[in-house]
Amino acid sequence: MGLMIKKPEHVAGSAAPAIIVGLFVAFGGILYGYDTGTIGGIQAMKYWRRLFSTGYVNPKDNYPDVTASQSSEIVWKRCLASEALDSRSPIFLKLHGERVLIQWFSSSILSAGTFFGSLSAAPMGDFFGRRLGLILSNFVFIFGVILQTAATAIPLFVAGRFFAGFGVGLISALVPMYQSETAPKWIRGAVVGCYQLAITIGLLLAAIVDNSTGDRDDTGSYRIPVAVQFAWAIILIVGMLILPETPRFHVRKGHNEKAAKSLSRLRRLDVDHPALVEELSEIHANHEYELSLGQATYLDCCKGTLGKRLLTGCLLQSLQQLTANFSLCVNFIFYYGTQFFTNSGISNSFIVTVIVNVVNVCSTFPGLYLVEKWGRRPLLLSGAVGMFVCQYIVAIVGTADQSQVANKVLIAFVCVYIYFFASSWGPVAWVVTGELFPLKARAKCLSMTTASNWLLNWAIAYATPYMVNAGPGNANLQSKVFFIWGGFCLICAFFVWGMIYETKGLSLEQVDELYAKVSKAWQSKGFVPTVSFQEVQDLGVSARSQSLADMEAGAERKKSVAGEILEHSEKYEV
């Protein structure tokens, strides 16, 4: 099979334009990663604390800060929390004081914005298009950045966090959609996976910029890290003005000539080239077939085979956050377990941040290769098992021993855990959800799967302090919380085995055939597509009240009869 990922010999044209386009659009992940990564460092800056404080002094370090009651009011109003929190709530009685709460509420504000933003990606992507939708999303993001940069008090800063989050939510749903609809099928997994790579790079850049400005005693300490985001958004806007709209969106709108021109740019083929005509005809025929089965309202997305695919996507994104999220382990170390690093002789928090982020970035590259060489199912399965082992080792060692040697073991296995996540569940979750859905429902379903990711992101931020910290009303699990996270990693493995279909090497249209013909996920390996939607359409086989297999058989019968008639007519002429 060889070690290199090569374009199949029978594929005409060049894949380079589509790959370059997909890699550029992945730049949207920089916005995602940088915006989520920069806020923790900003809120630890002394100038920011002094400027945004309304007179409260944090007893932990006797320095001005934001009060817990102000934070709780924002969390309750903006983050859909189930109860109003005040300074007497158990969440505020934490081992590490109120600094964790402040970081938590801003992350929650962002999660609230991203949740609603991702849900809004469906109408935006279907009405304006994937390309223009991404451009508009960046303007929403820029508006949020403007508010944060101008802010000198909490209300405006919080509003900026919400609008920036709304823009990130839009982008997080539209980028994988655009990539999936433009990338060639033989390299689609690696291209879409680069979105996760960009997220990890954004996190690393955020740590570096925060460290560079954190000691400034002026507004530049927080305004520079925030304003840097203008550059990321402007770069993406300028690029999207040049790049084409996806051919599948044009097909969805009935703009066949525009679809041909777009696909021509992406494949570097003439619009009348047989290979391009065949690919475009198959996209169009598949879309017509899907429409013949029914419409794609939000209710329709929850029914039948499409409902099964939507459930798979939502569970996959939720489990990515719940068990395989890079931030789960790292946030515990940063926010709730910094003694691990301190006791191991590493006291500089910037070094800690850089270490884990560099591991995160570098570990993503093997995943981009393996997703095409090995496949989606085996990579997700091995990642889940690897994370399960690491989580339980951390839990056992952290519970049994608090020595310096034990803490070094914990650091090592946290890094190994990050490797397993970054090389499997990090990129592959975006890959699988990007290729699960038919064109008629892709925007709606992708928006809902992405929203489930952000909803669990918020839920984890809400629950973790209760689970980890000491004090009345808290579970005080400390290192034992890894037993719970490890258990969910095991659930991930069973979920992959039972629900994730192998889609490596299939076009988005062939994924529809896969789900129509194969009823069980563990039987999907080795599936070979045999249906040509174009042939079914040309032969006039009805899709109503028939399975895809019946339609294929009907098309073959008509094809056979037509062949016999042609043969008899040729004999008669002779």
Side-chain angles (χ1 to χ4, degrees):
M1 183 169 67
L3 295 176
M4 298 297 294
I5 300 175
K6 297 180 180 179
K7 186 184 78 168
E9 295 181 1
H10 66 276
V11 175
S14 172
I19 294 174
I20 293 171
V21 166
L23 293 178
F24 177 82
V25 175
F27 194 85
I30 298 285
L31 278 73
Y32 178 160
Y34 186 92
D35 193 54
T36 55
T38 193
I39 189 63
I42 288 175
Q43 291 171 323
M45 296 174 182
K46 289 189 174 182
Y47 185 88
W48 186 92
R49 292 170 59 185
R50 187 171 70 246
L51 179 64
F52 284 80
S53 174
T54 56
Y56 170 75
V57 176
N58 193 329
K60 185 176 178 64
D61 56 6
N62 294 318
Y63 205 81
D65 214 332
V66 179
T67 67
S69 59
Q70 290 170 326
S71 302
S72 64
E73 180 184 359
I74 296 168
V75 172
W76 180 72
K77 287 183 177 179
R78 295 286 189 174
C79 298
L80 313 179
S82 59
E83 59 177 326
L85 303 177
D86 58 33
S87 59
R88 295 167 293 179
S89 175
I91 197 170
F92 300 113
L93 304 177
K94 289 193 282 291
L95 180 65
H96 294 289
E98 300 185 7
R99 170 56 42 203
V100 173
L101 170 69
I102 297 167
Q103 293 169 338
W104 170 70
F105 94 75
S106 277
S107 297
S108 298
I109 290 295
L110 182 70
S111 295
T114 51
F115 175 78
F116 292 112
S118 58
L119 287 178
S120 302
M124 179 173 284
D126 279 343
F127 184 80
F128 294 106
R130 286 54 160 145
R131 170 179 164 272
L132 185 56
L134 276 170
I135 293 173
L136 295 175
S137 301
N138 276 276
F139 280 111
V140 175
F141 178 77
I142 286 174
F143 178 66
V145 173
I146 290 172
L147 295 182
Q148 292 178 81
T149 305
T152 56
I154 292 174
L156 189 60
F157 192 82
V158 168
R161 292 299 294 163
F162 181 85
F163 282 104
F166 197 91
V168 169
L170 289 167
I171 292 168
S172 65
L174 291 172
V175 166
M177 193 188 314
Y178 186 98
Q179 291 175 306
S180 296
E181 291 188 350
T182 55
K185 63 182 181 181
W186 60 272
I187 196 70
R188 185 177 61 242
V191 171
V192 178
C194 285
Y195 178 55
Q196 177 66 23
L197 176 63
I199 293 173
T200 64
I201 294 173
L203 289 166
L204 177 60
L205 291 174
I208 294 172
V209 175
D210 279 352
N211 183 73
S212 301
T213 65
D215 293 333
R216 292 177 62 115
D217 194 33
D218 55 26
T219 58
S221 60
Y222 71 92
R223 281 177 170 164
I224 291 174
V226 171
V228 164
Q229 296 174 106
F230 285 119
W232 313 143
I234 290 171
I235 290 172
L236 193 55
I237 288 172
V238 172
M240 294 310 300
L241 289 172
I242 300 171
L243 299 183
E245 179 57 85
T246 73
R248 287 176 170 87
F249 173 74
H250 285 311
V251 167
R252 189 179 188 278
K253 289 294 188 180
H255 304 153
N256 294 330
E257 290 186 5
K258 291 182 178 179
K261 291 179 180 178
S262 174
L263 193 60
S264 174
R265 288 184 62 185
L266 293 169
R267 302 292 184 263
R268 201 175 288 172
L269 292 170
D270 293 333
V271 292
D272 56 353
H273 191 281
L276 188 142
V277 172
E278 180 182 359
E279 182 177 356
L280 193 60
S281 298
E282 189 69 5
I283 294 171
H284 183 270
N286 172 260
H287 182 54
E288 292 295 321
Y289 162 75
E290 289 291 341
L291 288 177
S292 71
L293 299 179
Q295 296 301 310
T297 64
Y298 279 100
L299 183 60
D300 293 322
C301 291
C302 301
K303 297 178 180 178
T305 304
L306 186 54
K308 175 183 177 180
R309 292 151 82 169
L310 177 61
L311 178 63
T312 299
C314 289
L315 288 176
L316 178 62
Q317 288 284 9
S318 298
L319 286 170
Q320 189 210 39
Q321 282 292 329
L322 188 60
T323 62
N325 195 332
F326 163 77
S327 64
L328 278 174
C329 243
V330 176
N331 283 354
F332 177 82
I333 297 300
F334 288 168
Y335 303 151
Y336 310 112
T338 52
Q339 68 270 19
F340 290 166
F341 291 95
T342 302
N343 293 344
S344 301
I346 305 175
S347 58
N348 189 322
S349 61
F350 172 67
I351 293 177
V352 173
T353 306
V354 170
I355 289 173
V356 295
N357 277 294
V358 168
V359 171
N360 195 25
V361 171
C362 295
S363 300
T364 306
F365 286 98
L368 302 181
Y369 172 78
L370 292 172
V371 71
E372 295 297 352
K373 297 300 289 186
W374 200 10
R376 282 64 160 157
R377 273 176 62 84
L379 188 54
L380 286 172
L381 273 171
S382 62
V385 172
M387 288 185 294
F388 165 75
V389 172
C390 291
Q391 296 271 23
Y392 266 71
I393 290 175
V394 170
I396 292 169
V397 174
T399 303
D401 192 2
Q402 297 296 322
S403 67
Q404 190 177 42
V405 173
N407 283 304
K408 288 181 178 179
V409 171
L410 293 175
I411 294 170
F413 276 95
V414 163
C415 290
V416 175
Y417 163 82
I418 293 171
Y419 166 80
F420 277 112
F421 165 70
S423 62
S424 59
W425 281 75
V428 181
W430 298 108
V431 173
V432 172
T433 53
E435 54 195 20
L436 269 179
F437 308 109
L439 178 58
K440 67 176 182 179
R442 185 167 296 136
K444 290 184 179 71
C445 291
L446 262 177
S447 71
M448 286 187 279
T449 59
T450 307
S452 66
N453 180 294
W454 289 111
L455 182 63
L456 263 292
N457 182 288
W458 170 83
I460 291 165
Y462 181 90
T464 299
Y466 286 104
M467 296 168 62
V468 173
N469 292 302
N474 293 335
N476 192 27
L477 294 177
Q478 299 294 323
S479 297
K480 292 188 286 291
V481 75
F482 286 95
F483 283 117
I484 297 175
W485 291 336
F488 280 115
C489 288
L490 189 60
I491 291 174
C492 279
F494 286 104
F495 163 75
V496 172
W497 183 81
M499 294 195 70
I500 296 297
Y501 283 65
E502 183 53 69
T503 52
K504 177 174 76 76
L506 300 179
S507 70
L508 298 181
E509 290 67 40
Q510 289 167 344
V511 172
D512 292 336
E513 181 185 351
L514 168 67
Y515 272 89
K517 287 185 174 181
V518 181
S519 60
K520 297 178 176 62
W522 56 89
Q523 296 174 344
S524 62
K525 184 179 180 181
F527 169 77
V528 178
T530 57
V531 170
S532 168
F533 290 97
Q534 181 62 43
E535 286 185 3
V536 170
Q537 185 183 58
D538 290 344
L539 292 171
V541 179
S542 174
R544 296 190 179 276
S545 304
Q546 292 191 64
S547 68
L548 189 59
D550 291 336
M551 290 176 57
E552 182 181 12
E556 285 297 323
R557 285 194 297 270
K558 288 192 174 185
K559 196 174 179 182
S560 176
V561 170
E564 291 177 3
I565 294 174
L566 179 61
E567 182 180 350
H568 284 302
S569 64
E570 288 177 350
K571 288 181 179 180
Y572 180 77
E573 290 177 359
V574 174

